[in-house]
């Protein structure tokens, strides 16, 4: 079976799939497209015009959470809780992480203080919820590493750009989240989930958008 991931270099949703693929040592090919100028063949196969898309031989899978469940299920299914309610809750938190990724993007691309603060406040309260949900670790569900970890990791990777100088995390108030994020960021599959030029590209997009967050950093 051949697996071919269609990616955009700064997309955190694609990074979730890359983390799962690397965590499971699954062979895959990757093609990067430019979402600002998507090729016709991509628009043809991507029902929502979004990445990630995973080509499984000639079949098309889309949506990062679905792709990750599929990758897990063809390799033993050890990244999802076995009990239905626990598995359902895991899925719900993965959706929560997707919402956080949206808010992080909106915060980073905000052009003014008001918009920046709006998304920042949302993220601060979402991080407080995550803090309450976390136990002693080491992972989101405790001892077992899961798809929730691969789903949240790109959030912390994006939050940590520029040596954490743009971070939304208040280290003093959410210590369990900070420790979990550090463990995730130290994993080789998380480190290698982004291209070498990731930070330059990510900060470049912010600059191009007139990001308030970047202006504040420079001031
Ligand atoms: N719910 C989707 C979200 C994917 C997503 O938003 N991808 C963005 C890039 S990070 C995209 O392709 N945007 C293009 C567009 O919306 O036109 C998933 O989890 O895969």
């Amino acid at each position: 079976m051949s697996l071919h991931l269609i990616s955009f270099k700064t997309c955190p949703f694609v990074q979730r799939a890359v983390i799962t693929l690397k965590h499971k040592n699954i062979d895959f090919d990757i093609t990067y497209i430019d979402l600002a100028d998507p090729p016709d063949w991509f628009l043809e196969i991507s029902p929502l015009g979004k990445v990630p898309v995973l080509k499984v031989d000639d079949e098309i899978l889309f949506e990062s959470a679905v792709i990750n469940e599929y990758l897990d299920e063809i390799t033993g299914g050890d990244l999802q809780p076995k009990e239905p309610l626990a598995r359902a809750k895991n899925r719900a938190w993965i959706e929560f992480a997707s919402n956080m990724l949206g808010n992080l993007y909106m915060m980073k691309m905000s052009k003014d203080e008001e918009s920046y603060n709006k998304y920042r406040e949302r993220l601060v309260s979402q991080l407080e919820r995550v803090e309450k949900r976390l136990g002693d670790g080491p992972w989101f569900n405790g001892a077992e590493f899961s798809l929730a970890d691969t789903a949240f990791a790109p959030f912390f990777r994006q939050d940590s750009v520029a040596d954490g100088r743009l971070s939304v995390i208040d280290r003093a108030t959410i210590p369990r989240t900070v420790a979990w994020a550090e463990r995730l960021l130290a994993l080789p599959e998380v480190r290698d989930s982004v291209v070498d030029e990731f930070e330059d590209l990510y900060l470049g997009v912010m600059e191009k958008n007139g990001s308030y967050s970047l202006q504040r950093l420079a001031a």
Side-chain angles (χ1 to χ4, degrees), residues 8 10-14 16 33 35 38 42-43 46 48-53 62-67 95 98 101 105:
F8 176 63
T10 55
C11 176
F13 297 97
V14 183
R16 289 173 157 182
I33 61 155
L35 278 175
F42 169 72
L43 296 175
S46 176
L48 294 170
K50 292 183 182 191
V51 290
V53 164
F62 60 107
E63 287 297 321
S64 60
V66 175
I67 290 171
E95 183 58 31
S98 296
L101 284 171
Y105 181 83

Side-chain angles (χ1 to χ4, degrees), residues 11 40 82 96 101 103-104 163 183-184:
C11 176
D40 289 343
K82 295 280 168 283
F96 188 87
L101 284 171
N103 286 333
L104 187 68
D163 297 320
R183 276 191 288 273
L184 287 172

